[in-house]
Short mmCIF file of all heavy atoms in Angstrom, two decimals:
data_model
loop_
_atom_site.label_atom_id
_atom_site.label_comp_id
_atom_site.label_asym_id
_atom_site.label_seq_id
_atom_site.Cartn_x
_atom_site.Cartn_y
_atom_site.Cartn_z
N LYS A 269 0.83 -1.20 0.00
CA LYS A 269 0.00 0.00 0.00
C LYS A 269 0.87 1.26 0.00
O LYS A 269 1.92 1.30 0.62
CB LYS A 269 -0.91 0.02 1.23
CG LYS A 269 -2.08 -0.95 1.14
CD LYS A 269 -3.07 -0.70 2.27
CE LYS A 269 -4.31 -1.58 2.10
NZ LYS A 269 -5.31 -1.31 3.17
N LYS A 270 0.39 2.28 -0.70
CA LYS A 270 1.08 3.56 -0.74
C LYS A 270 0.80 4.32 0.56
O LYS A 270 -0.20 4.08 1.24
CB LYS A 270 0.61 4.39 -1.92
CG LYS A 270 0.87 3.75 -3.27
CD LYS A 270 2.35 3.73 -3.58
CE LYS A 270 2.60 3.25 -5.00
NZ LYS A 270 4.03 3.26 -5.35
N ILE A 271 1.68 5.24 0.90
CA ILE A 271 1.53 5.96 2.17
C ILE A 271 0.27 6.81 2.18
O ILE A 271 -0.29 7.07 3.25
CB ILE A 271 2.77 6.82 2.48
CG1 ILE A 271 3.07 7.80 1.34
CG2 ILE A 271 3.98 5.95 2.75
CD1 ILE A 271 4.21 8.76 1.64
N TYR A 272 -0.23 7.22 1.02
CA TYR A 272 -1.46 8.01 1.00
C TYR A 272 -2.70 7.14 1.14
O TYR A 272 -3.80 7.64 1.33
CB TYR A 272 -1.55 8.88 -0.26
CG TYR A 272 -1.27 8.18 -1.57
CD1 TYR A 272 -2.19 7.26 -2.11
CD2 TYR A 272 -0.12 8.46 -2.29
CE1 TYR A 272 -1.94 6.63 -3.31
CE2 TYR A 272 0.14 7.82 -3.50
CZ TYR A 272 -0.77 6.91 -4.01
OH TYR A 272 -0.53 6.29 -5.20
N GLU A 273 -2.52 5.82 1.04
CA GLU A 273 -3.64 4.91 1.27
C GLU A 273 -3.79 4.56 2.75
O GLU A 273 -4.87 4.16 3.19
CB GLU A 273 -3.44 3.62 0.47
CG GLU A 273 -3.48 3.83 -1.03
CD GLU A 273 -3.20 2.56 -1.81
OE1 GLU A 273 -2.19 1.88 -1.51
OE2 GLU A 273 -4.00 2.23 -2.71
N THR A 274 -2.72 4.71 3.51
CA THR A 274 -2.78 4.43 4.95
C THR A 274 -2.91 5.69 5.78
O THR A 274 -3.23 5.62 6.97
CB THR A 274 -1.51 3.66 5.39
OG1 THR A 274 -0.36 4.42 5.03
CG2 THR A 274 -1.44 2.31 4.70
N ASP A 275 -2.66 6.84 5.18
CA ASP A 275 -2.79 8.12 5.88
C ASP A 275 -3.68 9.04 5.05
O ASP A 275 -3.25 9.61 4.05
CB ASP A 275 -1.42 8.77 6.07
CG ASP A 275 -1.48 10.10 6.82
OD1 ASP A 275 -2.61 10.57 7.12
OD2 ASP A 275 -0.41 10.68 7.11
N PRO A 276 -4.96 9.20 5.44
CA PRO A 276 -5.89 10.02 4.65
C PRO A 276 -5.45 11.47 4.49
O PRO A 276 -5.83 12.14 3.53
CB PRO A 276 -7.20 9.92 5.44
CG PRO A 276 -6.82 9.45 6.80
CD PRO A 276 -5.60 8.63 6.64
N TRP A 277 -4.62 11.97 5.41
CA TRP A 277 -4.14 13.36 5.30
C TRP A 277 -3.21 13.53 4.10
O TRP A 277 -2.96 14.65 3.64
CB TRP A 277 -3.41 13.76 6.58
CG TRP A 277 -4.32 13.98 7.74
CD1 TRP A 277 -4.63 13.08 8.71
CD2 TRP A 277 -5.04 15.16 8.06
NE1 TRP A 277 -5.51 13.62 9.62
CE2 TRP A 277 -5.77 14.91 9.25
CE3 TRP A 277 -5.16 16.42 7.46
CZ2 TRP A 277 -6.61 15.86 9.84
CZ3 TRP A 277 -5.97 17.38 8.05
CH2 TRP A 277 -6.69 17.10 9.22
N LEU A 278 -2.67 12.42 3.61
CA LEU A 278 -1.77 12.49 2.46
C LEU A 278 -2.48 12.31 1.13
O LEU A 278 -1.89 12.50 0.07
CB LEU A 278 -0.67 11.43 2.59
CG LEU A 278 0.36 11.66 3.69
CD1 LEU A 278 1.34 10.49 3.75
CD2 LEU A 278 1.11 12.96 3.47
N GLU A 279 -3.76 11.94 1.16
CA GLU A 279 -4.51 11.72 -0.08
C GLU A 279 -4.47 12.93 -1.03
O GLU A 279 -4.29 12.75 -2.24
CB GLU A 279 -5.96 11.35 0.24
CG GLU A 279 -6.85 11.19 -0.97
CD GLU A 279 -6.38 10.10 -1.92
OE1 GLU A 279 -5.85 9.08 -1.45
OE2 GLU A 279 -6.56 10.28 -3.15
N PRO A 280 -4.59 14.16 -0.53
CA PRO A 280 -4.52 15.31 -1.45
C PRO A 280 -3.18 15.45 -2.16
O PRO A 280 -3.09 16.20 -3.14
CB PRO A 280 -4.77 16.51 -0.52
CG PRO A 280 -5.48 15.95 0.66
CD PRO A 280 -4.93 14.59 0.85
N PHE A 281 -2.18 14.74 -1.67
CA PHE A 281 -0.84 14.87 -2.25
C PHE A 281 -0.43 13.60 -3.01
O PHE A 281 0.75 13.35 -3.24
CB PHE A 281 0.17 15.18 -1.14
CG PHE A 281 -0.23 16.38 -0.31
CD1 PHE A 281 -0.82 16.21 0.94
CD2 PHE A 281 -0.06 17.66 -0.80
CE1 PHE A 281 -1.21 17.31 1.70
CE2 PHE A 281 -0.44 18.77 -0.05
CZ PHE A 281 -1.02 18.59 1.20
N ARG A 282 -1.43 12.81 -3.38
CA ARG A 282 -1.20 11.55 -4.11
C ARG A 282 -0.35 11.79 -5.36
O ARG A 282 0.63 11.08 -5.61
CB ARG A 282 -2.55 10.94 -4.50
CG ARG A 282 -2.42 9.75 -5.43
CD ARG A 282 -3.78 9.37 -6.02
NE ARG A 282 -4.63 8.76 -5.01
CZ ARG A 282 -4.87 7.46 -4.91
NH1 ARG A 282 -4.29 6.62 -5.78
NH2 ARG A 282 -5.67 6.98 -3.99
N THR A 283 -0.70 12.80 -6.14
CA THR A 283 0.02 13.07 -7.38
C THR A 283 1.48 13.42 -7.11
O THR A 283 2.40 12.94 -7.79
CB THR A 283 -0.65 14.22 -8.16
OG1 THR A 283 -2.00 13.86 -8.46
CG2 THR A 283 0.10 14.52 -9.45
N ALA A 284 1.72 14.25 -6.08
CA ALA A 284 3.09 14.65 -5.74
C ALA A 284 3.91 13.46 -5.26
O ALA A 284 5.09 13.33 -5.60
CB ALA A 284 3.06 15.74 -4.67
N ILE A 285 3.28 12.57 -4.48
CA ILE A 285 3.98 11.39 -3.97
C ILE A 285 4.30 10.43 -5.10
O ILE A 285 5.41 9.87 -5.18
CB ILE A 285 3.16 10.71 -2.86
CG1 ILE A 285 3.09 11.64 -1.63
CG2 ILE A 285 3.76 9.36 -2.48
CD1 ILE A 285 2.10 11.18 -0.57
N ASP A 286 3.35 10.22 -6.01
CA ASP A 286 3.59 9.36 -7.17
C ASP A 286 4.69 9.94 -8.06
O ASP A 286 5.52 9.20 -8.61
CB ASP A 286 2.31 9.15 -7.97
CG ASP A 286 1.33 8.21 -7.29
OD1 ASP A 286 1.76 7.47 -6.38
OD2 ASP A 286 0.13 8.23 -7.64
N LYS A 287 4.68 11.25 -8.20
CA LYS A 287 5.72 11.91 -9.00
C LYS A 287 7.09 11.71 -8.35
O LYS A 287 8.09 11.48 -9.04
CB LYS A 287 5.40 13.40 -9.14
CG LYS A 287 6.38 14.16 -10.01
CD LYS A 287 5.98 15.62 -10.12
CE LYS A 287 6.99 16.40 -10.97
NZ LYS A 287 6.63 17.84 -11.05
N ARG A 288 7.13 11.80 -7.02
CA ARG A 288 8.38 11.57 -6.28
C ARG A 288 8.88 10.15 -6.52
O ARG A 288 10.07 9.93 -6.78
CB ARG A 288 8.14 11.82 -4.79
CG ARG A 288 9.36 11.62 -3.92
CD ARG A 288 9.10 12.13 -2.50
NE ARG A 288 8.33 11.21 -1.69
CZ ARG A 288 7.93 11.44 -0.44
NH1 ARG A 288 8.22 12.61 0.12
NH2 ARG A 288 7.24 10.56 0.24
N SER A 289 7.99 9.18 -6.46
CA SER A 289 8.38 7.78 -6.67
C SER A 289 8.90 7.56 -8.09
O SER A 289 9.89 6.84 -8.29
CB SER A 289 7.19 6.86 -6.41
OG SER A 289 6.77 6.94 -5.06
N ALA A 290 8.24 8.18 -9.07
CA ALA A 290 8.66 8.02 -10.46
C ALA A 290 10.04 8.63 -10.68
O ALA A 290 10.87 8.08 -11.41
CB ALA A 290 7.63 8.67 -11.39
N SER A 291 10.28 9.77 -10.04
CA SER A 291 11.58 10.42 -10.17
C SER A 291 12.68 9.54 -9.60
O SER A 291 13.77 9.43 -10.19
CB SER A 291 11.56 11.77 -9.45
OG SER A 291 12.81 12.41 -9.52
N ILE A 292 12.42 8.89 -8.47
CA ILE A 292 13.41 7.99 -7.86
C ILE A 292 13.70 6.81 -8.78
O ILE A 292 14.86 6.44 -9.00
CB ILE A 292 12.91 7.50 -6.48
CG1 ILE A 292 12.84 8.67 -5.49
CG2 ILE A 292 13.81 6.39 -5.94
CD1 ILE A 292 12.06 8.37 -4.23
N ARG A 293 12.66 6.22 -9.36
CA ARG A 293 12.84 5.09 -10.27
C ARG A 293 13.65 5.49 -11.51
O ARG A 293 14.57 4.79 -11.93
CB ARG A 293 11.48 4.53 -10.70
CG ARG A 293 10.73 3.76 -9.64
CD ARG A 293 9.61 2.94 -10.25
NE ARG A 293 8.66 3.78 -10.98
CZ ARG A 293 7.59 4.36 -10.44
NH1 ARG A 293 7.34 4.19 -9.14
NH2 ARG A 293 6.77 5.08 -11.16
N ASP A 294 13.30 6.65 -12.08
CA ASP A 294 14.01 7.12 -13.27
C ASP A 294 15.48 7.41 -12.96
O ASP A 294 16.37 7.10 -13.77
CB ASP A 294 13.34 8.39 -13.81
CG ASP A 294 11.97 8.12 -14.41
OD1 ASP A 294 11.66 6.94 -14.67
OD2 ASP A 294 11.20 9.08 -14.59
N CYS A 295 15.72 7.99 -11.79
CA CYS A 295 17.09 8.32 -11.40
C CYS A 295 17.91 7.05 -11.19
O CYS A 295 19.07 6.98 -11.61
CB CYS A 295 17.06 9.17 -10.13
SG CYS A 295 18.63 9.93 -9.72
N GLU A 296 17.31 6.05 -10.56
CA GLU A 296 18.02 4.78 -10.35
C GLU A 296 18.35 4.13 -11.68
O GLU A 296 19.48 3.65 -11.90
CB GLU A 296 17.18 3.82 -9.50
CG GLU A 296 17.89 2.51 -9.24
CD GLU A 296 17.00 1.47 -8.56
OE1 GLU A 296 15.78 1.71 -8.43
OE2 GLU A 296 17.54 0.42 -8.17
N LYS A 297 17.39 4.11 -12.60
CA LYS A 297 17.62 3.51 -13.91
C LYS A 297 18.73 4.22 -14.65
O LYS A 297 19.59 3.58 -15.28
CB LYS A 297 16.32 3.57 -14.72
CG LYS A 297 16.41 2.90 -16.07
CD LYS A 297 15.08 2.96 -16.80
CE LYS A 297 15.17 2.31 -18.17
NZ LYS A 297 13.87 2.37 -18.90
N LYS A 298 18.76 5.55 -14.55
CA LYS A 298 19.80 6.34 -15.24
C LYS A 298 21.18 6.03 -14.68
O LYS A 298 22.15 5.86 -15.42
CB LYS A 298 19.48 7.82 -15.10
CG LYS A 298 20.46 8.73 -15.81
CD LYS A 298 20.11 10.19 -15.57
CE LYS A 298 21.11 11.12 -16.24
NZ LYS A 298 20.85 12.54 -15.90
N LEU A 299 21.29 5.94 -13.35
CA LEU A 299 22.60 5.70 -12.73
C LEU A 299 23.07 4.26 -12.91
O LEU A 299 24.28 4.01 -12.97
CB LEU A 299 22.54 6.04 -11.24
CG LEU A 299 22.38 7.52 -10.87
CD1 LEU A 299 22.39 7.68 -9.36
CD2 LEU A 299 23.47 8.37 -11.49
N ARG A 300 22.14 3.34 -13.01
CA ARG A 300 22.53 1.94 -13.20
C ARG A 300 23.17 1.71 -14.56
O ARG A 300 24.01 0.83 -14.72
CB ARG A 300 21.30 1.04 -13.07
CG ARG A 300 20.89 0.76 -11.64
CD ARG A 300 19.58 0.03 -11.57
NE ARG A 300 19.57 -1.20 -12.37
CZ ARG A 300 18.51 -1.99 -12.48
NH1 ARG A 300 17.38 -1.66 -11.87
NH2 ARG A 300 18.57 -3.08 -13.20
N ARG A 301 22.77 2.50 -15.56
CA ARG A 301 23.28 2.33 -16.92
C ARG A 301 23.08 0.87 -17.36
O ARG A 301 21.97 0.38 -17.42
CB ARG A 301 24.74 2.76 -17.00
CG ARG A 301 24.94 4.25 -16.73
CD ARG A 301 26.41 4.62 -16.72
NE ARG A 301 26.59 6.05 -16.43
CZ ARG A 301 27.73 6.60 -16.09
NH1 ARG A 301 28.82 5.85 -15.97
NH2 ARG A 301 27.81 7.89 -15.84
N ASP A 302 24.17 0.18 -17.63
CA ASP A 302 24.05 -1.21 -18.08
C ASP A 302 24.24 -2.21 -16.94
O ASP A 302 24.29 -3.42 -17.18
CB ASP A 302 25.09 -1.49 -19.17
CG ASP A 302 24.88 -0.62 -20.40
OD1 ASP A 302 23.71 -0.33 -20.71
OD2 ASP A 302 25.88 -0.23 -21.04
N SER A 303 24.37 -1.71 -15.73
CA SER A 303 24.59 -2.60 -14.58
C SER A 303 23.28 -3.25 -14.14
O SER A 303 22.20 -2.70 -14.35
CB SER A 303 25.20 -1.81 -13.41
OG SER A 303 26.41 -1.21 -13.79
N GLU A 304 23.40 -4.40 -13.50
CA GLU A 304 22.21 -5.10 -13.03
C GLU A 304 21.59 -4.42 -11.82
O GLU A 304 20.40 -4.53 -11.59
CB GLU A 304 22.56 -6.55 -12.69
CG GLU A 304 22.88 -7.40 -13.91
CD GLU A 304 22.99 -8.87 -13.55
OE1 GLU A 304 22.61 -9.24 -12.42
OE2 GLU A 304 23.46 -9.65 -14.40
#
């Protein structure tokens, strides 16, 4: 479960939290390059 699903006060910030998660994934993929 996402943190906005367990904390209703975070529901209004669902988009911002998802954007944060996507940025982390993209950054990890970029730094990994061809590494596993």
Side-chain angles (χ1 to χ4, degrees):
K269 285 190 174 182
K270 299 290 187 178
I271 56 175
Y272 49 71
E273 294 177 310
T274 56
D275 181 355
W277 287 95
L278 291 177
E279 176 61 35
F281 307 101
R282 172 192 288 257
T283 301
I285 293 170
D286 286 342
K287 183 179 178 182
R288 181 170 79 183
S289 297
S291 178
I292 293 166
R293 287 196 302 271
D294 291 345
C295 192
E296 181 188 9
K297 183 178 179 180
K298 182 183 178 185
L299 291 182
R300 281 173 54 182
R301 295 176 181 166
D302 298 326
S303 302
E304 290 189 12

